[in-house]
Amino acid sequence: TGDSKPSAAASAASSLTAAAAAAAAAASKAATGAAPTGPCHYTGGLTARQLGDIDDLANCITVDAHLGFGTHKMCERFRAPPRLRKTWRRILEQFQIDQNYEAACDALLTADSPSNAGNSPFSVANDNDNACSRPYRPFLTASRRADLNLRAHLCRYLHLFDPRSGVRIEACRRYLHENRVGARIVSTRQWQPGQRIDMLIGCIAEVSLEEEADGGYLKPGVNDFSVMYSTRKHGSQLWLGPAAYINHDCRPNVRFVPTGACSAHYEVVRPIEEGDEVLLYYGNNFFGLNNCECECRTCELNGTGAFANCAKSKSSIGRGDIAASNAGAAECTAADRRSRLRRSAAVAAALVYRPHRDRVQHPPAQQPPRKKHRTSSCNKQTTTLSQPSPGATVDEQQNLSATPTGEILCNGTEAGKVES
């Protein structure tokens, strides 16, 4: 048409590259270890799938290596190499000392690079515990190591290990729906209402209808753990980044404040002391209808949510129930107690000690001699003599005294012809 304006695809690609370059430039401002001029905020430009891919890599390199176990991932087929966790953990420990973002990013991204083998003190090739004779495929490809979006997102996760951020990440064993294996954000300083936790950053990506449909990117119960619904845009949004590790509580101490189309921060609403967990209110029906499955600390104290049934069972035991239970216990007679003792003795007599086949079986001390057995053609009959009945005649008593038990059971039949 002769129009000199760029096409829509070219403009979108240029804006994506510019956004990634700006984020990477903001992330590398702390290269000398000095205090950064500002947190590495997310400026957008990624789809939900792209943001989920780099978030899986970034939290695997930082959070999983620090905690020692894997946390939630957007890709259900994501597999992290265990051989690198110890190396990544040493890099994070060094970062907590010098707060050098650029050096930490370089070391984390090139920890298993073949070209970096032997050149870095954190290289896997220098780790005797991880060394192996056979070659292995690097965890990150060359294109991934050069990805500016991944580098910027990695810096956002490094804020969790920066002492100047005021927060840190710890393991959480509270929630049953996470199999008691999760993470939580804990404060490392005092926060007053109205203050912003700037270095706890979250990223927002719009979820398309195709990604939200059946068989799309989001799968219920698998990777829909961090999806929000925007009442302003009337659509679903993916919420990832370090801020996504904040847990829910019905009495929160921070609130969600959007700062743009693709970013948000947390504002303190109640005083937070050092060591307190940073908590956010997810919504009225996030954990079932009226949060009936909520496992937060407030619901536990109030006996609501998932703890409602436990509180109801405890409150139902009143004075009348206690008196009734005492009266029922008083009705337990001596005969009942003797009956229980007889049952216990029978159960104890049925238990036979059988030592393990690998253990040495020592004969019991002072074991009485075993009774002799008389073996027939088909079975073994004991020679224990039966006692005659009181009304038996003299001839019958003589026959009983000379006949084994097995022959009496045969009713006059020759011993050994009738099976026991």
Side-chain angles (χ1 to χ4, degrees):
T1 59
D3 192 358
S4 60
K5 293 183 180 180
S7 61
S11 60
S14 61
S15 61
L16 177 61
T17 305
S28 62
K29 288 182 179 180
T32 59
T37 57
C40 182
H41 287 295
Y42 176 62
T43 57
L46 296 177
T47 63
R49 185 180 296 272
Q50 292 172 343
L51 180 60
D53 291 342
I54 65 171
D55 188 77
D56 288 349
L57 293 173
N59 66 51
C60 169
I61 295 174
T62 56
V63 176
D64 295 358
H66 173 69
L67 298 179
F69 56 83
T71 55
H72 55 70
K73 298 292 183 292
M74 291 300 299
C75 180
E76 57 182 338
R77 296 180 298 175
F78 184 87
R79 296 293 182 271
R83 68 177 188 273
L84 293 175
R85 281 186 177 177
K86 186 179 294 185
T87 304
W88 287 333
R89 191 181 302 115
R90 291 203 299 263
I91 298 173
L92 294 175
E93 292 172 355
Q94 181 63 32
F95 171 77
Q96 291 176 338
I97 298 174
D98 54 21
Q99 292 92 46
N100 192 328
Y101 282 83
E102 186 174 5
C105 287
D106 291 339
L108 291 172
L109 294 175
T110 60
D112 64 337
S113 174
S115 60
N116 194 37
N119 298 329
S120 173
F122 303 109
S123 176
V124 180
N126 294 331
D127 194 348
N128 295 328
D129 297 336
N130 297 325
C132 56
S133 58
R134 61 181 182 179
Y136 61 90
R137 185 176 62 181
F139 175 61
L140 296 176
T141 61
S143 59
R144 275 298 186 188
R145 291 193 296 270
D147 189 357
L148 297 179
N149 290 307
L150 175 59
R151 190 180 185 90
H153 203 59
L154 196 61
C155 289
R156 299 183 190 107
Y157 273 96
L158 286 176
H159 289 337
L160 296 174
F161 306 93
D162 193 336
R164 299 164 294 188
S165 65
V167 293
R168 68 173 182 269
I169 191 165
E170 293 181 353
C172 180
R173 309 288 184 181
R174 177 176 183 82
Y175 302 102
L176 186 61
H177 67 272
E178 295 180 346
N179 297 324
R180 304 195 185 280
V181 179
R184 63 174 188 164
I185 301 297
V186 178
S187 173
T188 59
R189 47 160 286 191
Q190 292 182 347
W191 297 91
Q192 299 300 325
Q195 291 183 325
R196 294 170 48 178
I197 308 178
D198 288 328
M199 299 185 73
L200 187 59
I201 302 172
C203 306
I204 300 175
E206 303 294 335
V207 179
S208 62
L209 297 178
E210 293 78 9
E211 292 173 332
E212 196 175 4
D214 294 339
Y217 179 59
L218 295 181
K219 298 176 178 58
V222 178
N223 59 355
D224 61 342
F225 50 84
S226 190
V227 178
M228 305 183 302
Y229 183 81
S230 176
T231 57
R232 181 170 55 90
K233 296 183 178 181
H234 301 285
S236 299
Q237 296 176 327
L238 192 61
W239 172 251
L240 295 176
Y245 284 94
I246 292 184
N247 292 322
H248 162 86
D249 195 274
C250 293
R251 189 170 180 264
N253 48 26
V254 297
R255 69 185 185 98
F256 185 85
V257 179
T259 57
C262 303
S263 61
H265 71 267
Y266 291 112
E267 181 179 339
V268 180
V269 296
R270 290 194 301 111
I272 302 177
E273 300 295 331
E274 181 180 355
D276 292 348
E277 183 178 0
V278 181
L279 299 167
L280 177 71
Y281 185 71
Y282 286 4
N284 296 330
N285 301 308
F286 192 87
F287 299 99
L289 183 62
N290 295 326
N291 288 335
C292 60
E293 301 176 0
C294 180
E295 299 176 301
C296 70
R297 176 65 175 170
T298 301
C299 286
E300 183 180 9
L301 295 176
N302 297 335
T304 57
F307 306 94
N309 294 332
C310 299
K312 186 181 297 183
S313 61
K314 290 181 180 180
S315 62
S316 63
I317 304 178
R319 294 183 178 179
D321 298 327
I322 296 176
S325 62
N326 293 336
E331 294 177 357
C332 180
T333 62
D336 296 334
R337 289 194 295 270
R338 287 194 298 270
S339 177
R340 288 196 298 269
L341 289 176
R342 285 196 297 269
R343 288 195 298 268
S344 301
V347 172
L351 297 178
V352 180
Y353 173 69
R354 297 179 180 179
H356 196 272
R357 63 180 63 182
D358 297 335
R359 299 177 183 173
V360 179
Q361 300 184 15
H362 300 282
Q366 299 179 358
Q367 182 177 6
R370 304 178 68 178
K371 295 181 180 180
K372 295 182 180 180
H373 293 74
R374 184 168 61 187
T375 307
S376 63
S377 60
C378 61
N379 58 356
K380 295 182 180 180
Q381 301 292 342
T382 61
T383 58
T384 304
L385 299 180
S386 302
Q387 298 294 332
S389 59
T393 62
V394 176
D395 296 336
E396 292 177 351
Q397 293 180 3
Q398 293 177 357
N399 293 334
L400 287 175
S401 61
T403 306
T405 305
E407 296 179 357
I408 295 175
L409 294 177
C410 294
N411 295 325
T413 308
E414 185 179 355
K417 293 185 179 180
V418 179
E419 296 180 357
S420 58

